[in-house]
Amino acid sequence: MRRPGSIAPPKGKLGVLTPGMGAVSTTLMAGVELVRRGESAPVGSLTQMGTIRLGKRTESRTPKIKEFVKLAELNDLVFGGWDVFPDDAFQAATKAGVLDSKDLSKAEKFLKTIKPMKAAFDQNYVKNLHGTHVKKGKTKFDLAEQIREDIREFKKKNKLDRMVMVWCGSTEVFLRPEEVHKDMASFEKAMKSNHPAIAPSMLYAYAAISEGIAYANGAPNLSVDFPALEEYAKSKEVPIAGKDFKTGQTLMKTILSPGLKARMLGLSGWFSTNILGNRDGEVLDDPGSFKTKEESKLGALEYILQPKLYPELYDKFYHKVRINYYPPRGDNKEGWDNIDIFGWLNYPMQIKVDFLCRDSILAAPIVLDLVLFLDLAKRAGMRGIQEWLSFYFKSPMCAPQLYPEHDLFIQSMKLKNTLRWMMGEELITHLGAEYYD
Ligand SMILES: NC(=O)c1ccc[n+]([C@@H]2O[C@H](COP(=O)([O-])OP(=O)(O)OC[C@H]3O[C@@H](n4cnc5c(N)ncnc54)[C@H](O)[C@@H]3O)[C@@H](O)[C@H]2O)c1
């Protein structure tokens, strides 16, 4: 990756486009509005609340991240999106049931102004959704062209300076990268011939990159995670990132397992189950969409624990993930983990985690941070996969010759060191030998 020479300042308005205006997206929009009006603090957002240490521990230089790297102001964000339902953001947020009516009413006027554009949608890829607010087109390529037109129109209408797109749409059925995803010529040909390996989320990603807009993928779908679009993003100087927001249970997994490994404690099994009742849960009730999510959730432990390096501790640990759609819980998921570990002389122990979490409350600040950091990356001339944003993802995208880094603490260090590197500051290794000379 090239080190940025200079970083353009965040002047003017920044458009935030989300394909999918459901629970996560509307919780982000409502939350940003409440924070802008001073009604709440942006809890959970590193870009808004985080600081970064610079130089030696004795220097006391710890600015806020957003001041250190000059991020766009919340007041300059303008929201838009697409959905298969015509509900405006207020109606969609009310149906999602994440925020209570007291908070929603404060943002009501603002949310009602955000109306979804017609979606590029195909039920073959999300079986449990029956949308009506959808685009018509002879080919998938035509649909992608229509999305591009929407983007240009939105930019003009709102007098935007820059834009970022984050996929907040449903999880699509499981697809593996194949021939048509290998290069741009095959990919474009496949869009034009309506090839089944081209899912709607890929059309949004293609449209964003074509328009020079950074793209992040919040779901486990392939979307932008294959060679054709990765190369395309590089050639168009567009930063991309993915995939699948790291919230809830996987967040806990990537906090706990590095600790167990650091202390060389063994693992014989990790059983995770969830109950959730939002639309995401309903979509994941379809085996095709669940398979995509399952693959995304299973990877983290394998990569963190490295069984090949530590066979006595992590070989053959049993890992199971279940997601159960249970409507009474709505967005307030319950995630249980039973963790069977062993210690000195192989004596077994157990850890139980019962996380009564709120999925979209955890996801919204992630989307905000991704928007602001991707905008920064774009202004800095960075392009292609932004691995330093792995911190936010369950299945981090990385260069083909690498394995993904899942450990939250390594990811956090990588993110902050990337910011230091971008700004020409010394990297921090935490060695600190000089304090003891
Ligand atoms: N909430 C979390 O903690 C979390 C964590 C990780 C990943 N995710 C992923 O983020 C995504 C959004 O989650 P959510 O809870 O907001 O789900 P949601 O079901 O509330 O919202 C998704 C919206 O996307 C719309 N949609 C589906 N296909 C579309 C298309 N082709 N074009 C435009 N709109 C489309 C749906 O109509 C729906 O309104 C899901 O894929 C979910 O798996 C969420």
Side-chain angles (χ1 to χ4, degrees):
M1 191 165 39
R2 294 173 303 192
R3 188 200 192 112
S6 66
I7 304 177
K11 277 204 308 238
K13 299 271 175 212
L14 174 65
V16 179
L17 288 171
T18 61
M21 280 177 43
V24 172
S25 157
T26 58
T27 305
L28 164 77
M29 294 167 182
V32 167
E33 177 64 1
L34 292 185
V35 172
R36 289 200 279 223
R37 291 167 40 172
E39 301 272 0
S40 185
V43 179
S45 163
L46 184 68
T47 59
Q48 302 306 299
M49 305 196 89
T51 60
I52 184 162
R53 183 191 123 199
L54 303 173
K56 307 240 172 299
R57 258 193 282 166
T58 45
E59 288 178 32
S60 302
R61 281 201 295 148
T62 314
K64 279 207 159 183
I65 286 176
K66 65 177 179 181
E67 283 145 20
F68 173 56
V69 288
K70 306 271 180 303
L71 296 174
E73 298 285 340
L74 297 191
N75 279 332
D76 288 329
L77 303 187
V78 179
F79 295 95
W82 294 264
D83 207 285
V84 311
F85 300 104
D87 300 341
D88 64 44
F90 179 72
Q91 289 169 307
T94 306
K95 284 186 190 163
V98 177
L99 301 177
D100 62 30
S101 51
K102 195 167 92 302
D103 282 325
L104 271 183
S105 64
K106 288 183 200 154
E108 178 171 350
K109 217 167 124 206
F110 166 72
L111 292 174
K112 280 187 165 158
T113 62
I114 309 170
K115 300 191 166 66
M117 298 176 265
K118 281 191 175 171
F121 178 70
D122 180 339
Q123 214 196 343
N124 287 317
Y125 300 87
V126 188
K127 297 275 188 308
N128 289 355
L129 265 193
H130 308 274
T132 50
H133 189 59
V134 296
K135 294 187 189 305
K136 289 196 171 67
K138 272 212 190 87
T139 67
K140 298 185 179 187
F141 184 76
D142 293 341
L143 295 176
E145 287 295 310
Q146 290 178 39
I147 299 171
R148 291 185 65 177
E149 189 54 44
D150 289 346
I151 296 173
R152 290 194 284 261
E153 190 55 38
F154 187 79
K155 185 169 186 194
K156 206 165 105 198
K157 200 172 108 202
N158 293 288
K159 302 190 174 56
L160 303 175
D161 186 56
R162 304 161 334 273
M163 288 192 264
V164 172
M165 189 188 287
V166 182
W167 174 265
C168 293
S170 310
T171 299
E172 296 171 330
V173 293
F174 185 65
L175 295 174
R176 280 186 205 285
E178 48 180 273
E179 278 302 298
V180 298
H181 301 115
K182 230 173 59 190
D183 53 52
M184 271 318 279
S186 319
F187 183 74
E188 279 184 357
K189 199 167 142 210
M191 281 195 289
K192 288 177 180 158
S193 63
N194 287 333
H195 195 287
I198 307 291
S201 67
M202 297 174 193
L203 305 180
Y204 289 94
Y206 167 79
I209 298 169
S210 302
E211 293 299 315
I213 297 175
Y215 180 88
N217 176 18
N221 322 331
L222 278 186
S223 194
V224 75
D225 187 14
F226 50 86
L229 288 188
E230 283 165 25
E231 278 310 309
Y232 191 41
K234 270 198 201 159
S235 71
K236 301 286 274 182
E237 310 256 305
V238 169
I240 53 172
K243 54 191 189 183
D244 205 5
F245 303 131
K246 174 147 85 176
T247 55
Q249 200 164 49
T250 309
L251 174 66
M252 286 298 143
K253 243 174 218 175
T254 64
I255 291 173
L256 284 174
S257 58
L260 297 174
K261 184 174 125 192
R263 299 297 288 257
M264 291 288 109
L265 293 168
L267 179 76
S268 48
W270 196 312
F271 177 74
S272 304
T273 187
N274 298 273
I275 52 174
L276 80 162
N278 56 13
R279 192 183 283 152
D280 188 29
E282 193 178 353
V283 164
L284 293 174
D285 217 27
D286 168 60
S289 291
F290 174 68
K291 168 87 176 135
T292 314
K293 198 62 152 185
E294 189 186 28
E295 290 279 320
S296 171
K297 279 176 166 268
L298 282 175
L301 280 188
E302 282 283 322
Y303 284 112
I304 291 175
L305 298 175
Q306 299 175 296
K308 282 212 175 76
L309 292 181
Y310 306 100
E312 308 97 313
L313 298 174
Y314 306 120
D315 199 21
K316 300 197 194 96
F317 66 83
Y318 191 85
H319 188 195
K320 189 97 194 155
V321 178
R322 285 267 168 269
I323 300 177
N324 302 289
Y325 177 52
Y326 179 61
R329 279 302 166 88
D331 199 61
N332 297 347
K333 183 165 89 176
E334 182 157 6
W336 286 280
D337 286 282
N338 170 74
I339 312 159
D340 285 290
I341 64 170
F342 55 91
W344 190 241
L345 308 178
N346 291 335
Y347 275 71
M349 295 171 262
Q350 291 183 14
I351 303 171
K352 313 275 179 189
V353 180
D354 185 4
F355 190 12
L356 295 151
C357 78
R358 294 174 186 264
D359 253 359
S360 304
I361 293 294
L362 292 167
I366 293 185
V367 188
L368 175 61
D369 285 1
L370 285 170
V371 165
L372 299 181
F373 280 143
L374 282 170
D375 173 51
L376 170 73
K378 173 78 182 145
R379 285 185 283 110
M382 290 155 79
R383 60 201 180 129
I385 298 171
Q386 304 296 303
E387 202 201 339
W388 59 287
L389 298 175
S390 318
F391 181 64
Y392 295 108
F393 295 109
K394 275 194 197 79
S395 291
M397 284 167 64
C398 58
Q401 70 277 21
L402 298 178
Y403 64 83
E405 181 54 68
H406 282 270
D407 179 326
L408 188 85
F409 305 98
I410 297 178
Q411 292 172 332
S412 154
M413 202 186 303
K414 187 177 173 71
L415 187 155
K416 289 194 173 181
N417 267 338
T418 303
L419 298 177
R420 294 181 185 109
W421 172 78
M422 287 168 82
M423 300 300 288
E425 285 282 342
E426 202 183 317
L427 304 190
I428 289 188
T429 62
H430 299 286
L431 176 64
E434 68 275 23
Y435 304 126
Y436 297 91
D437 285 339

